Amino acid sequence: MIQLLCGVSWVDDHVSLDCSECGGYSLERPCPLCSGRCSSVWKRDLTMSHASGRAKWEGKCNLQAEKASDSQLVLKPVALTTSSSDSNLCSRFEKLSASS
């Protein structure tokens, strides 16, 4: 079993929002290129995510694939990482508390 930087279990669908290796998701996530509008689900590249300490994803955007077929372009899957600004934002959200 792979030991994550933050100690959560992706297999159990656990995630740490401020961990760059988690990137805010466990083993799957909505398409990061169109924020999930295309309904495509991207899979985590376990080896690369763990080796780099950053979230890496494999998948294709169905909206971009449609555009590619219209214009005869070929798109390759893109591995995305979360930026430090993403981690900063997640960290700020975790500090928020509800007030009554």
Side-chain angles (χ1 to χ4, degrees), residues 78-99:
V78 177
L80 297 179
T81 62
T82 57
S83 66
S84 60
S85 62
D86 292 342
S87 295
N88 252 349
L89 183 60
C90 289
S91 177
R92 290 182 190 169
F93 278 130
E94 287 179 338
K95 292 177 184 175
L96 291 176
S97 61
S99 58

Side-chain angles (χ1 to χ4, degrees), residues 1 7 11 20 22 25 28 32 34-36 41 44 51 56-57 62-64 66 75 77 80 83 87 91 96:
M1 177 157 195
V11 174
S20 62
C22 286
Y25 298 90
E28 297 180 337
C34 67
S35 301
V41 175
R44 178 178 295 280
K56 303 286 185 182
W57 304 98
N62 292 330
L63 294 177
Q64 288 191 357
E66 288 174 13
L75 295 177
L80 297 179
S83 66
S87 295
S91 177
L96 291 176

Side-chain angles (χ1 to χ4, degrees), residues 16-35:
S16 174
L17 295 177
D18 61 347
C19 173
S20 62
E21 191 172 356
C22 286
Y25 298 90
S26 58
L27 295 175
E28 297 180 337
R29 68 162 296 161
C31 175
L33 299 179
C34 67
S35 301

Side-chain angles (χ1 to χ4, degrees), residues 25-60:
Y25 298 90
S26 58
L27 295 175
E28 297 180 337
R29 68 162 296 161
C31 175
L33 299 179
C34 67
S35 301
R37 290 189 317 267
C38 73
S39 302
S40 176
V41 175
W42 288 36
K43 307 284 184 195
R44 178 178 295 280
D45 182 333
L46 292 169
T47 304
M48 290 306 297
S49 290
H50 189 61
S52 67
R54 312 271 310 158
K56 303 286 185 182
W57 304 98
E58 295 179 333
K60 68 177 184 174

